[in-house]
Amino acid sequence: MSKNLANRHIRLLQPYSSARKIGGRGTIWLNANERPTPPVLTGLSFDDLNRYPKPQPACVIDKYARYAGVPCQNILMTRGGDEGIELVLRTFCEAYDKVLYCPPTYGMYQVSCETLNLPQISVPYLYQNSTFVLDEQTILQNIDDGVKVLLLCNPNNPTGTMIDRQTIINILSHAKQTIVVVDEAYIEFSLADSVADLLAQFDNLIIIRTLSKAFGLAGIRAGFVLANASVIGVLQKVIAPYPIPTPTAMIARWALADDNIAFVKDSVAQTLADRKDFVNDLMTLPCVQKVYASHANFVLVKFKDGQAVFDALWQKGIIVRNQHTAHLLQDCIRISIGSACQNRAVIDALRLF
Ligand SMILES: *Cc1c(COP(=O)(O)O)cnc(C)c1O
């Protein structure tokens, strides 16, 4: 069969299991950290769809530069943050170049490495004083032994924890021969913690951003890579010639207008308030063992019997993300913060346990 002609490492690959793939008859989707409300688009019309798009739409780049507080030449637009991550690996790694990441973390890091057949080193988070802490010492030791790309997720999916800023600075200063990627997919929920200001100081820093989470635009596939101009230059050589569809660019430009940015800020504030209520309600439930403090639009919850809770919610059409196979996360489930009404439905369903 022709599928046997596929590369050996692709035949062995366990693909990313996204919520949309695994199915389920969901009525309440709280498994992909999407914004609960869709954007209401106004005043958009699509001209020039017969033409190839601009490789990098300047109007979007300008607006994102202003939003992120970095110069335009430090930005590359991608088809979502996921393309940015893979692009960095394709650009900087060849056979035998090691990639380091820290589980439990975003599952796509492993999948991207496996797709590209790159050797991986995993330095697990430590569990100290009831929280997840990056193992800085072991990371630095591994970097000394040769690591081409380090992938850090901040805030971390699925734990919701932040990496100490000084830790990131220590790693950046130490790892001059290593590209340090800081994935800020959820940074809008903890904006003061962005390391975008460190780009001026470190040319080995790459930041991944997306419009999929706080901006509520997972459907258009828009992300950004922030890095020094020389790094952006080499990424430009590798990215597809016309990566950004015209409709995506036009919607992204709309999304980055001042009034929508103000709207996103309000919606983030609402999510943070809803998260607080949701966490308080969770803590009153007998089936809940622990709710981890979160800096993002989801919470990680440890239950007495995680699988039973997952199955029961699934039966009720409430789709959440089971984390039980991840390092340190037995009986843990990641639940996106939905609308107040959706969060209440989760609490009501869990009360029956
Ligand atoms: C959602 C997410 C992304 C990127 O998602 P895109 O939809 O591809 O922009 C990147 N990193 C993390 C940690 C995420 O959770």
Side-chain angles (χ1 to χ4, degrees):
M1 284 235 293
S2 301
K3 72 171 188 187
N4 293 331
L5 299 176
N7 292 344
R8 186 185 131 79
H9 70 274
I10 299 294
R11 278 183 273 134
L12 296 174
L13 172 70
Q14 185 75 32
Y16 187 71
S17 122
S18 71
R20 297 280 172 220
K21 273 194 193 164
I22 57 177
R25 291 168 295 106
T27 49
I28 299 185
W29 290 84
L30 298 174
N31 61 347
N33 304 335
E34 295 147 331
R35 199 174 75 186
T37 51
V40 181
L41 301 179
T42 48
L44 286 179
S45 66
F46 301 108
D47 302 326
D48 295 335
L49 290 182
N50 56 321
R51 301 291 176 194
Y52 281 101
K54 296 194 181 74
Q56 287 291 305
C59 54
V60 180
I61 302 282
D62 284 352
K63 287 191 157 62
Y64 201 80
R66 208 146 59 91
Y67 168 72
V70 304
C72 294
Q73 61 271 23
N74 291 18
I75 298 181
L76 183 73
M77 189 174 182
T78 57
R79 286 162 289 200
D82 285 349
E83 182 181 42
I85 295 161
E86 201 189 279
L87 183 65
V88 169
L89 296 177
R90 282 166 59 211
T91 303
F92 287 96
C93 298
E94 52 194 317
Y96 312 117
D97 280 340
K98 288 180 278 190
V99 180
L100 193 161
Y101 56 84
C102 305
T105 193
Y106 187 39
M108 275 304 291
Y109 302 157
Q110 180 177 355
V111 172
S112 283
C113 288
E114 286 177 359
T115 305
L116 298 169
N117 208 14
L118 297 171
Q120 303 155 56
I121 304 177
S122 88
V123 176
Y125 268 84
L126 304 171
Y127 191 65
Q128 287 173 343
N129 305 321
S130 311
T131 187
F132 302 91
V133 185
L134 211 62
D135 186 352
E136 181 182 331
Q137 222 187 337
T138 307
I139 291 171
L140 293 180
Q141 281 164 6
N142 275 283
I143 282 173
D144 290 339
D145 293 340
V147 166
K148 198 63 176 291
V149 174
L150 166 62
L151 298 169
L152 299 174
C153 189
N154 201 40
N156 188 38
N157 174 5
T159 59
T161 45
M162 295 299 303
I163 304 167
D164 193 43
R165 183 178 165 90
Q166 191 56 48
T167 300
I168 296 177
I169 293 174
N170 292 348
I171 292 171
L172 282 165
S173 322
H174 190 91
K176 289 298 182 197
Q177 299 302 314
T178 303
I179 297 290
V180 179
V181 177
V182 179
D183 182 345
E184 295 191 338
Y186 298 97
I187 201 65
E188 279 79 8
F189 301 98
S190 196
L191 205 51
D193 293 305
S194 172
V195 292
D197 61 299
L198 296 180
L199 285 171
Q201 227 175 307
F202 296 102
D203 66 3
N204 55 337
L205 170 62
I206 295 182
I207 296 171
I208 301 290
R209 294 283 189 90
T210 180
L211 298 186
S212 296
K213 306 289 160 58
F215 280 84
L217 287 168
I220 71 167
R221 313 305 301 127
F224 299 90
V225 176
L226 315 185
N228 274 276
S230 60
V231 169
I232 296 295
V234 289
L235 296 174
Q236 299 259 29
K237 291 167 73 171
V238 179
I239 197 168
Y242 304 107
I244 311 300
T246 301
T248 294
M250 293 184 71
I251 296 168
R253 180 169 78 163
W254 171 87
L256 292 166
D258 288 345
D259 53 347
N260 189 59
I261 286 178
F263 175 84
V264 168
K265 287 205 165 119
D266 288 348
S267 124
V268 164
Q270 184 64 52
T271 298
L272 298 184
D274 290 344
R275 184 182 73 194
K276 188 158 175 261
D277 294 342
F278 186 55
V279 167
N280 286 338
D281 289 344
L282 282 169
M283 307 241 252
T284 67
L285 300 174
C287 63
V288 170
Q289 206 156 63
K290 186 166 173 58
V291 184
Y292 295 95
S294 170
H295 290 83
N297 64 340
F298 56 81
V299 283
L300 183 69
V301 188
K302 192 178 187 81
F303 291 94
K304 287 183 181 140
D305 184 345
Q307 189 63 48
V309 166
F310 180 85
D311 293 339
L313 292 176
W314 179 278
Q315 286 306 323
K316 285 185 152 33
I318 301 175
I319 314 297
V320 292
R321 188 86 161 148
N322 203 343
Q323 297 288 342
H324 63 305
T325 58
H327 179 69
L328 298 172
L329 301 190
Q330 207 187 356
D331 287 310
C332 288
I333 293 177
R334 190 196 71 196
I335 308 175
S336 309
I337 304 301
S339 63
C341 169
Q342 292 174 329
N343 303 338
R344 210 167 312 115
V346 175
I347 299 294
D348 289 343
L350 291 175
R351 240 189 265 289
L352 304 174
F353 265 80

